[in-house]
Amino acid sequence: MAKLFSITFDAKTEEITEAYTAFQNKYTLRKKIIYTVVYLIVVVLGIDLIIKNPTNLAGFIATGLALGILLFNWIKPVMIKKKLTKTLSELGDETYVMSFYDDKLTVETIIDNTAETETVAITSHGVFTVEEGSEAEKELMENPPKEEEIQKSVYKLSETEVLFMEKNNIFMVFLNRAFIQTIPMRCLSDEEQQQVRNYFSEKGLD
């Protein structure tokens, strides 16, 4: 099927992090609040047991477990976001090309492999720095990595759960409640922005 249009963009770490926060609020916040209410009830019941019978270990155990789960429930997303930010900041520049068809979306990720990194060799004994003049360095010189690597993903609309959101000058496309495509409006012309809005609106995906 013929391509309707395509857009080219990149995304900064802070933009991807903001999209991830929106993703969490959309798909996990409600569940997190429900769990919080349930475990708060357990905490209250546990404290009630302790007050009525300070020698009852069940009250202490229930209260401690519930408080631990509550703490983990709210700290885990923060830790994941922190790890995501660190990982993104260490990656090289990436450019994305999203193409829109009547029945699918395709996303090409163009990875820049020219960033300076420490040269290493991977062996059965671990990862080691490649020494100057070694056979490993000669092999790398003869077969250098490609300057650009293109990875392509295809999402058929009939097989993929797609949701489009717009927030703070960022378009966000959630795919199967697992993947986020962050599209900063700064990378698009006014015409392209309207094309993206119209596409998802006409498909009933916004």
mmCIF file of all heavy atoms in Angstrom, residues 36 41 44 99 103 115 117 127 142 156 162 168 181 185 191 206:
data_model
loop_
_atom_site.group_PDB
_atom_site.id
_atom_site.type_symbol
_atom_site.label_atom_id
_atom_site.label_comp_id
_atom_site.label_asym_id
_atom_site.label_seq_id
_atom_site.Cartn_x
_atom_site.Cartn_y
_atom_site.Cartn_z
ATOM 1 N N THR A 36 -1.988 0.914 46.272
ATOM 2 C CA THR A 36 -1.692 1.738 47.442
ATOM 3 C C THR A 36 -2.845 1.707 48.445
ATOM 4 O O THR A 36 -2.629 1.552 49.654
ATOM 5 C CB THR A 36 -1.421 3.197 47.012
ATOM 6 O OG1 THR A 36 -0.272 3.225 46.152
ATOM 7 C CG2 THR A 36 -1.157 4.083 48.223
ATOM 8 N N ILE A 41 -4.859 -0.260 53.632
ATOM 9 C CA ILE A 41 -5.853 -0.948 54.469
ATOM 10 C C ILE A 41 -5.174 -2.038 55.300
ATOM 11 O O ILE A 41 -5.458 -2.209 56.489
ATOM 12 C CB ILE A 41 -6.971 -1.558 53.588
ATOM 13 C CG1 ILE A 41 -7.808 -0.431 52.958
ATOM 14 C CG2 ILE A 41 -7.875 -2.480 54.408
ATOM 15 C CD1 ILE A 41 -8.806 -0.913 51.933
ATOM 16 N N VAL A 44 -3.340 -0.407 58.151
ATOM 17 C CA VAL A 44 -4.271 -0.006 59.207
ATOM 18 C C VAL A 44 -4.706 -1.212 60.033
ATOM 19 O O VAL A 44 -4.734 -1.163 61.280
ATOM 20 C CB VAL A 44 -5.507 0.701 58.606
ATOM 21 C CG1 VAL A 44 -6.577 0.920 59.686
ATOM 22 C CG2 VAL A 44 -5.106 2.036 57.990
ATOM 23 N N SER A 99 7.073 6.550 8.920
ATOM 24 C CA SER A 99 6.265 6.603 7.698
ATOM 25 C C SER A 99 4.852 6.137 8.009
ATOM 26 O O SER A 99 4.652 5.181 8.762
ATOM 27 C CB SER A 99 6.889 5.718 6.612
ATOM 28 O OG SER A 99 8.197 6.178 6.287
ATOM 29 N N ASP A 103 -2.619 1.348 6.521
ATOM 30 C CA ASP A 103 -2.819 0.168 7.364
ATOM 31 C C ASP A 103 -1.669 -0.120 8.326
ATOM 32 O O ASP A 103 -1.691 -1.114 9.052
ATOM 33 C CB ASP A 103 -3.026 -1.073 6.477
ATOM 34 C CG ASP A 103 -1.812 -1.384 5.613
ATOM 35 O OD1 ASP A 103 -1.001 -0.450 5.370
ATOM 36 O OD2 ASP A 103 -1.648 -2.539 5.193
ATOM 37 N N ALA A 115 30.458 7.998 17.084
ATOM 38 C CA ALA A 115 30.866 8.568 18.372
ATOM 39 C C ALA A 115 32.101 7.845 18.889
ATOM 40 O O ALA A 115 32.242 6.632 18.739
ATOM 41 C CB ALA A 115 29.727 8.433 19.378
ATOM 42 N N THR A 117 34.383 5.947 21.202
ATOM 43 C CA THR A 117 34.224 5.053 22.351
ATOM 44 C C THR A 117 35.504 4.251 22.524
ATOM 45 O O THR A 117 36.316 4.142 21.608
ATOM 46 C CB THR A 117 33.060 4.078 22.146
ATOM 47 O OG1 THR A 117 33.282 3.349 20.926
ATOM 48 C CG2 THR A 117 31.731 4.816 22.042
ATOM 49 N N VAL A 127 35.316 -8.852 28.723
ATOM 50 C CA VAL A 127 35.524 -7.740 27.801
ATOM 51 C C VAL A 127 36.803 -7.011 28.185
ATOM 52 O O VAL A 127 36.974 -6.597 29.324
ATOM 53 C CB VAL A 127 34.323 -6.766 27.854
ATOM 54 C CG1 VAL A 127 34.529 -5.618 26.871
ATOM 55 C CG2 VAL A 127 33.027 -7.497 27.549
ATOM 56 N N GLU A 142 40.421 -3.530 9.692
ATOM 57 C CA GLU A 142 40.049 -4.111 8.405
ATOM 58 C C GLU A 142 38.537 -4.175 8.229
ATOM 59 O O GLU A 142 38.024 -4.104 7.110
ATOM 60 C CB GLU A 142 40.646 -5.516 8.267
ATOM 61 C CG GLU A 142 42.169 -5.523 8.168
ATOM 62 C CD GLU A 142 42.740 -6.926 8.230
ATOM 63 O OE1 GLU A 142 41.941 -7.880 8.337
ATOM 64 O OE2 GLU A 142 43.977 -7.067 8.172
ATOM 65 N N LYS A 156 1.607 -2.991 12.183
ATOM 66 C CA LYS A 156 0.330 -3.069 11.464
ATOM 67 C C LYS A 156 -0.792 -2.633 12.396
ATOM 68 O O LYS A 156 -0.898 -3.116 13.512
ATOM 69 C CB LYS A 156 0.097 -4.500 10.973
ATOM 70 C CG LYS A 156 1.094 -4.957 9.914
ATOM 71 C CD LYS A 156 0.765 -6.344 9.403
ATOM 72 C CE LYS A 156 1.741 -6.777 8.324
ATOM 73 N NZ LYS A 156 1.454 -8.155 7.822
ATOM 74 N N VAL A 162 -2.490 1.013 19.326
ATOM 75 C CA VAL A 162 -1.834 2.306 19.117
ATOM 76 C C VAL A 162 -2.635 3.402 19.811
ATOM 77 O O VAL A 162 -3.864 3.451 19.714
ATOM 78 C CB VAL A 162 -1.717 2.634 17.615
ATOM 79 C CG1 VAL A 162 -1.025 3.983 17.418
ATOM 80 C CG2 VAL A 162 -0.970 1.531 16.877
ATOM 81 N N ASN A 168 2.775 19.205 25.854
ATOM 82 C CA ASN A 168 3.972 20.060 25.991
ATOM 83 C C ASN A 168 4.877 20.035 24.762
ATOM 84 O O ASN A 168 6.084 19.789 24.851
ATOM 85 C CB ASN A 168 4.780 19.647 27.228
ATOM 86 C CG ASN A 168 4.008 19.846 28.514
ATOM 87 O OD1 ASN A 168 3.063 20.628 28.557
ATOM 88 N ND2 ASN A 168 4.399 19.130 29.554
ATOM 89 N N GLN A 181 7.026 6.092 21.103
ATOM 90 C CA GLN A 181 7.732 6.854 20.079
ATOM 91 C C GLN A 181 7.541 8.326 20.396
ATOM 92 O O GLN A 181 6.414 8.831 20.408
ATOM 93 C CB GLN A 181 7.179 6.535 18.691
ATOM 94 C CG GLN A 181 8.081 6.997 17.568
ATOM 95 C CD GLN A 181 9.432 6.295 17.578
ATOM 96 O OE1 GLN A 181 9.504 5.078 17.495
ATOM 97 N NE2 GLN A 181 10.513 7.059 17.677
ATOM 98 N N MET A 185 7.697 18.349 18.488
ATOM 99 C CA MET A 185 7.126 19.220 17.452
ATOM 100 C C MET A 185 8.174 20.150 16.851
ATOM 101 O O MET A 185 8.006 20.641 15.734
ATOM 102 C CB MET A 185 5.972 20.034 18.036
ATOM 103 C CG MET A 185 4.787 19.204 18.463
ATOM 104 S SD MET A 185 3.428 20.259 19.012
ATOM 105 C CE MET A 185 2.541 19.120 20.070
ATOM 106 N N GLU A 191 2.766 22.115 8.844
ATOM 107 C CA GLU A 191 2.007 21.211 7.962
ATOM 108 C C GLU A 191 2.175 19.752 8.405
ATOM 109 O O GLU A 191 1.206 18.989 8.446
ATOM 110 C CB GLU A 191 2.483 21.374 6.511
ATOM 111 C CG GLU A 191 1.725 20.489 5.519
ATOM 112 C CD GLU A 191 2.246 20.616 4.100
ATOM 113 O OE1 GLU A 191 3.120 21.487 3.861
ATOM 114 O OE2 GLU A 191 1.791 19.845 3.241
ATOM 115 N N ASP A 206 -6.625 8.659 18.812
ATOM 116 C CA ASP A 206 -6.200 9.711 19.730
ATOM 117 C C ASP A 206 -7.111 9.766 20.955
ATOM 118 O O ASP A 206 -7.987 8.935 21.111
ATOM 119 C CB ASP A 206 -6.180 11.074 19.023
ATOM 120 C CG ASP A 206 -7.531 11.387 18.356
ATOM 121 O OD1 ASP A 206 -8.452 10.532 18.414
ATOM 122 O OD2 ASP A 206 -7.634 12.475 17.765
#
